[in-house]
Amino acid sequence: MSENNALSPQELELIEILIDPVRFAKYHFDWEARWYQKEMLRSKAIRKVSRCGRRIGKTDVLCVHALWYAFTNENAVVLVATPYESQVKLIFKRIREFLAKSEEISSSVVQNTKHPEYIQFGNGSVISGFTAGTRS
């Protein structure tokens, strides 16, 4: 910060990246959200339900949101529960693909396991996946 306590343009840009999951994804993962994905990611609702067709990018939205939330909040817990193990594996595969695109985010990972699916960050946040279906 400068002497007059004003933020520099670079500091303001970094703050905007951290508070907006859409800008966060573009900056860290070079991932461009479609208009409806932007709406989904920027929703401030605590509980979200997305009624969408197949192959429109719901998994990407979930992964981006999980990574953004875990990276920007200390001791956050993100639980990914799906009916089938193959779905958990697919989601965590995509999360790891995003992580591979950002040295800053991936360097903040302190634990990354596949059995069970679990990613822990240096800020204490975790993303954990498990099955919760009737066949699990």
Side-chain angles (χ1 to χ4, degrees):
M1 247 196 258
S2 65
E3 227 174 287
N4 63 4
N5 292 332
L7 295 173
S8 72
Q10 295 83 6
E11 290 169 325
L12 287 172
E13 183 178 359
L14 287 174
I15 290 170
E16 289 175 12
I17 288 167
L18 289 174
I19 63 174
D20 182 3
V22 173
R23 291 193 65 188
F24 177 88
K26 179 64 177 162
Y27 179 82
H28 285 289
F29 313 130
D30 195 29
W31 181 78
E32 190 73 45
R34 299 179 189 118
W35 68 268
Y36 53 87
Q37 291 171 316
K38 289 177 184 178
E39 286 186 17
M40 293 162 69
L41 284 167
R42 289 181 172 148
S43 170
K44 301 293 184 203
I46 293 172
R47 292 179 183 90
K48 301 176 188 187
V49 175
S50 299
R51 184 175 180 222
C52 307
R54 297 181 68 223
R55 312 245 347 121
I56 67 160
K58 296 180 296 292
T59 299
D60 277 4
V61 169
L62 183 146
C63 295
V64 164
H65 192 272
L67 285 165
W68 169 76
Y69 189 80
F71 186 76
T72 60
N73 293 279
E74 288 185 353
N75 301 312
V77 177
V78 178
L79 298 177
V80 177
T82 68
Y84 301 103
E85 186 176 350
S86 61
Q87 294 165 321
V88 173
K89 288 185 180 306
L90 177 72
I91 290 165
F92 273 78
K93 178 181 183 275
R94 188 65 177 134
I95 287 173
R96 290 182 179 103
E97 288 171 357
F98 280 127
L99 283 173
K101 292 182 177 185
S102 173
E103 188 175 328
E104 182 179 357
I105 308 296
S106 62
S107 68
S108 70
V109 172
V110 296
Q111 187 176 358
N112 186 345
T113 64
K114 291 186 177 182
H115 302 287
E117 297 288 358
Y118 181 85
I119 299 171
Q120 182 177 8
F121 295 85
N123 67 358
S125 294
V126 298
I127 304 173
S128 182
F130 59 94
T131 57
T134 57
R135 294 187 173 107
S136 63

